[in-house]
């Protein structure tokens, strides 16, 4: 029970990070936002792989984090922020901002839909990750630079 409470607290704590970093450089903010999404996906992955027991509260918190984070994520790509801090953001983002925003919106919509129809077990979480993973890959293939 203590582990469950700790994991839930960790996921929920991530929700508050955005407000604290709003004054930071856009590159730093968007990197932090992607880390939140990655942590949420990691929590879901642990359940889907059977490394962690199914916990509806963690699933709900993780899907909420993904849904809420991707709603604001595209707003942190203003013109002129293509360079600066070490970034994996491709210049293609600014060349096709509407498509980039559409891909983020699809991830947000899918996460919200999954949240409304909360996966009820390990298999359901795995299926949800399949949907979200396709959304993530769709964007990363086009708009994320590969690390050397």
């Amino acid at each position: 029970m203590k582990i469950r409470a700790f994991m839930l607290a960790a996921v929920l704590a991530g929700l508050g990070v955005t407000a604290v970093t709003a004054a930071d450089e856009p590159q730093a903010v968007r990197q932090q936002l992607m880390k939140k999404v990655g942590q949420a996906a990691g929590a879901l992955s642990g359940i889907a792989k059977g490394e962690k027991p199914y916990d509806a509260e963690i699933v709900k918190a993780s899907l909420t984090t993904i849904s809420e984070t991707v709603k604001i994520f595209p707003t942190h790509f203003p013109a002129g922020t293509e360079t600066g801090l070490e970034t994996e953001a491709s210049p293609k983002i600014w060349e096709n901002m509407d498509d980039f925003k559409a891909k983020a919106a699809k991830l947000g919509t899918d996460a919200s839909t999954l949240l409304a129809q909360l996966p009820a077990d390990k298999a359901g979480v795995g299926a949800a990750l399949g949907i979200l993973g396709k959304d993530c890959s769709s964007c990363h293939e086009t708009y994320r630079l590969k690390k050397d």
Side-chain angles (χ1 to χ4, degrees):
M1 189 65 163
K2 288 181 182 179
I3 292 173
R4 178 180 172 194
F6 174 76
M7 288 185 66
L8 180 58
V11 171
L12 293 175
L15 293 173
V17 173
T18 305
V20 175
T21 62
D24 289 343
E25 293 292 322
Q27 297 96 333
V29 173
R30 56 191 186 229
Q31 288 172 3
Q32 205 164 42
L33 292 172
M34 277 294 97
K35 284 180 186 175
K36 283 176 47 175
V37 170
Q39 289 168 342
L44 294 172
S45 179
I47 293 170
K49 291 177 181 178
E51 296 168 352
K52 305 286 182 190
Y54 175 83
D55 186 320
E57 291 304 314
I58 290 174
V59 173
K60 184 177 179 181
S62 297
L63 290 171
T64 299
T65 296
I66 294 168
S67 175
E68 294 301 317
T69 300
V70 299
K71 287 178 186 174
I72 62 168
F73 182 68
T75 65
H76 295 283
F77 290 84
T81 63
E82 298 89 336
T83 60
L85 293 176
E86 184 177 323
T87 182
E88 294 177 24
S90 170
K92 293 178 182 179
I93 292 170
W94 291 269
E95 295 167 8
N96 198 353
M97 185 61 74
D98 289 341
D99 183 60
F100 176 71
K101 288 180 178 179
K103 288 181 185 307
K106 178 161 179 11
L107 174 58
T109 298
D110 287 345
S112 294
T113 299
L114 291 164
L115 187 58
Q117 302 167 358
L118 196 67
D121 56 20
K122 172 186 162 183
V125 173
L129 275 174
I131 294 167
L132 299 176
K134 285 180 184 176
D135 292 341
C136 292
S137 292
S138 171
C139 192
H140 284 187
E141 288 172 5
T142 305
Y143 298 115
R144 182 179 182 194
L145 297 174
K146 296 191 184 331
K147 289 184 177 182
D148 294 328

